[in-house]
Amino acid sequence: MSTLRALRAVLCVYAVGIAVALAQLLRRLRGDFRPPVLPPQPGRVAIVTGATAGIGRSTARQLARLGMCVVVAGNDEHCGQEVVSSIRAEMGSDRAHFLPLDLASLASVRGFARDFRALGLPLHLLVNNAGVMLEPRAETEDGFERHLGVNFLGHFLLTLLLLPALRASGAEGRGSRVVTVGSATHYVGTVDMADLHGRHAYSPYAAYAQSKLALALFALQLQRILDARGDPVTSNMADPGVVDTELYRHAGWVLRTVKRFLGWLVFKSPEEGAWTLVYAAAAPELEGVGGRYLRDEAEAEPLGTARDQELQRRLWAEGLRLTGAGGGDSDGVAW
């Protein structure tokens, strides 16, 4: 990627981040930071990816407090078992399980789906939360650029593998839900179908923004497919905002300095960042409602490109090709 294009990607991502952080600061100063009030969710089962730390951990805990049984999915077993132990201590021994999941490995994604089926549980909620951000260029074990592979393709395959369970668990008036975690950086993202993996030109900022736009395209196309089939499942996106987590470890020194000294004021805490995810997962007013982009526990408008149906279809087809899920298989892909 040329120096000018790389610089543009950096400036665009930072501009979006600053705008969101300032909006959060104003909201905090107005006293508007309040968690959503949601009804109990007894008997429902949720999977949260990346639930061993940060927003995912807070989401898992909040869902458990609503009465859900939560499957903590992550690639750090020690941290995962800690989350499970804390939920069980607070809520009861049947409220949490840990299953290993490395979204940088399609084999691990398939193994997770098999492990989940072996638990014999229904599935009412899938929260596609895990991700990487602003990493130097590297590839997953399957040869995908890591932002695209972890953030998008891993969740793409996982969702397809779990759709049969989501369909089977949904019912009229009490459907299942897929919640995909978005980011305002998708507003400055572009999907380069000719070079999705950044092999010819690479910027970590452009790669991250591309992966988040890819997730928006995926979530909206998924809802179109669910509608066409009449499935009792909805697909929405939830943007947590700018949140104080370890994802910023690859960011530039200016942002890391701001986060260190002013994070408590302009960043959301992981607990606050999880509110929109939990709202998308459990709000009664979203029953049967899909294809929405949610931010600050309210509906927002995604980038217009995210609604490009032709691009949605092209990216979906490429996802099927790259993950090998195009024609169904013994692992239960049935989209």
Side-chain angles (χ1 to χ4, degrees):
M1 178 171 288
S2 69
T3 302
L4 186 60
R5 288 179 64 196
L7 178 60
R8 180 182 179 278
V10 172
L11 293 177
C12 286
V13 169
Y14 274 107
V16 168
I18 290 169
V20 173
L22 288 176
Q24 291 178 180
L25 174 61
L26 292 175
R27 185 185 178 200
R28 192 180 298 280
L29 293 176
R30 292 196 303 266
D32 290 343
F33 267 64
R34 292 183 295 273
V37 178
L38 300 167
Q41 305 284 312
R44 288 176 73 82
V45 177
I47 292 173
V48 182
T49 70
T52 57
I55 300 169
R57 179 177 184 140
S58 293
T59 299
R61 292 179 63 86
Q62 291 180 40
L63 293 175
R65 289 171 188 153
L66 291 176
M68 288 194 190
C69 172
V70 180
V71 177
V72 173
N75 57 10
D76 186 326
E77 182 167 1
H78 176 72
C79 290
Q81 294 294 357
E82 281 188 347
V83 176
V84 168
S85 295
S86 66
I87 291 174
R88 287 179 174 179
E90 180 180 359
M91 303 303 304
S93 61
D94 61 342
R95 295 290 178 85
H97 306 270
F98 171 78
L99 289 178
L101 172 64
D102 180 1
L103 288 160
S105 164
L106 297 183
S108 176
V109 174
R110 293 179 185 277
F112 174 89
R114 289 192 295 269
D115 291 344
F116 176 76
R117 287 195 293 270
L119 291 177
L121 295 172
L123 180 60
H124 306 93
L125 171 65
L126 171 62
V127 182
N128 290 322
N129 162 77
V132 296
M133 186 173 78
L134 307 183
E135 290 192 352
R137 193 183 188 289
E139 294 186 350
T140 68
E141 71 173 39
D142 301 288
F144 309 141
E145 187 277 321
R146 273 185 58 81
H147 292 91
L148 191 80
V150 173
N151 297 356
F152 169 54
L153 290 170
H155 282 124
F156 178 88
L157 178 60
L158 180 68
T159 304
L160 296 188
L161 289 167
L162 295 175
L163 267 182
L166 288 162
R167 288 187 183 117
S169 302
E172 184 72 27
R174 192 62 166 158
S176 299
R177 303 186 185 190
V178 178
V179 177
T180 299
V181 177
S183 166
T185 55
H186 91 277
Y187 289 111
V188 295
T190 58
V191 172
D192 186 352
M193 295 298 297
D195 188 25
L196 279 174
H197 304 283
R199 296 191 175 101
H200 303 298
Y202 185 76
S203 158
Y205 293 85
Y208 178 65
Q210 174 182 253
S211 72
K212 287 300 180 178
L213 178 54
L215 283 172
L217 289 157
F218 158 69
L220 294 176
Q221 174 68 0
L222 176 60
Q223 184 59 50
R224 286 167 51 80
I225 292 171
L226 294 169
D227 284 343
R229 291 176 51 97
D231 287 332
V233 185
T234 57
S235 168
N236 287 307
M237 293 203 72
D239 182 348
V242 178
V243 185
D244 188 358
T245 72
E246 289 301 311
L247 279 179
Y248 290 90
R249 62 185 177 275
H250 295 292
W253 68 269
V254 173
L255 182 54
R256 284 185 282 112
T257 300
V258 171
K259 176 177 173 293
R260 179 179 179 183
F261 293 104
L262 293 175
W264 61 275
L265 182 62
V266 299
F267 284 50
K268 290 182 181 179
S269 69
E271 189 81 2
E272 293 165 340
W275 289 348
T276 300
L277 281 65
V278 176
Y279 173 78
E285 58 267 34
L286 292 176
E287 179 58 49
V289 177
R292 301 298 192 268
Y293 185 84
L294 305 167
R295 183 172 62 240
D296 293 334
E297 301 82 67
E299 186 173 349
E301 188 63 28
L303 179 69
T305 303
R307 298 196 183 278
D308 183 333
Q309 294 181 14
E310 177 58 27
L311 185 56
Q312 289 173 11
R313 286 191 288 267
R314 290 178 63 198
L315 186 64
W316 187 278
E318 185 66 0
L320 292 174
R321 186 186 72 82
L322 291 170
T323 61
D329 60 25
S330 61
D331 285 310
V333 172
W335 57 272

